Amino acid sequence: TARLGAHMYRAIDPVVLSLAVSQEWRLSRDFAGGTLEPGNVLTLRPQVNFAVNQRVTLSGGVSWQRRAGDRFDGAAISVSSHQTGLSLGLGLLAGERSTVFLDTQISTSGDRSANLSLEWLYRF
């Protein structure tokens, strides 16, 4: 698998607008006596971050993903699919070099899934 992406942003204090774009190419592989060609994936994630104060940032955005159908020995075994989602998050400045992020992502179409992540960023 190979992935190429870009993250662009524009700061208009106290708001930061951003867009993350990525394309993932999935290479074919031998599987069960044949060749499996997994579908490629395109993802777009626009987001808005709002600095409440020097220590707290709120974030929110949407995501859109298109996955091409899979093929096995040239025959389609799944169709292309789209998935959309909503993300909401909170960033807290915990110290001079430490930031904690709490983020949730909820699927609004496609599969029924949600996740909650906690990330700690420490700058050396």
Side-chain angles (χ1 to χ4, degrees):
T1 301
R3 183 183 300 164
L4 179 63
H7 196 139
M8 300 157 278
Y9 67 93
R10 171 79 172 152
I12 308 166
D13 198 28
V15 174
V16 176
L17 306 172
S18 65
L19 175 63
V21 179
S22 69
Q23 173 70 41
E24 185 174 297
W25 295 273
R26 297 176 172 182
L27 302 176
S28 60
R29 59 193 75 128
D30 293 331
F31 181 77
T35 302
L36 175 65
E37 301 170 43
N40 297 329
V41 179
L42 172 66
T43 304
L44 302 171
R45 288 191 179 128
Q47 189 167 356
V48 176
N49 295 315
F50 176 73
V52 175
N53 56 38
Q54 291 178 330
R55 297 181 55 95
V56 178
T57 299
L58 301 175
S59 63
V62 295
S63 63
W64 177 84
Q65 184 178 77
R66 180 189 184 277
R67 182 172 188 249
D70 299 336
R71 301 180 75 75
F72 186 76
D73 281 344
I77 58 173
S78 68
V79 296
S80 297
S81 62
H82 294 83
Q83 183 175 354
T84 58
L86 175 66
S87 66
L88 300 168
L90 172 69
L92 298 170
L93 185 63
E96 187 177 310
R97 296 179 172 194
S98 187
T99 308
V100 176
F101 296 97
L102 181 63
D103 188 46
T104 183
Q105 294 185 346
I106 302 163
S107 292
T108 55
S109 73
D111 68 355
R112 293 182 176 180
S113 66
N115 70 47
L116 178 67
S117 64
L118 178 64
E119 180 180 346
W120 174 43
L121 176 64
Y122 184 81
R123 290 176 291 282
F124 293 96

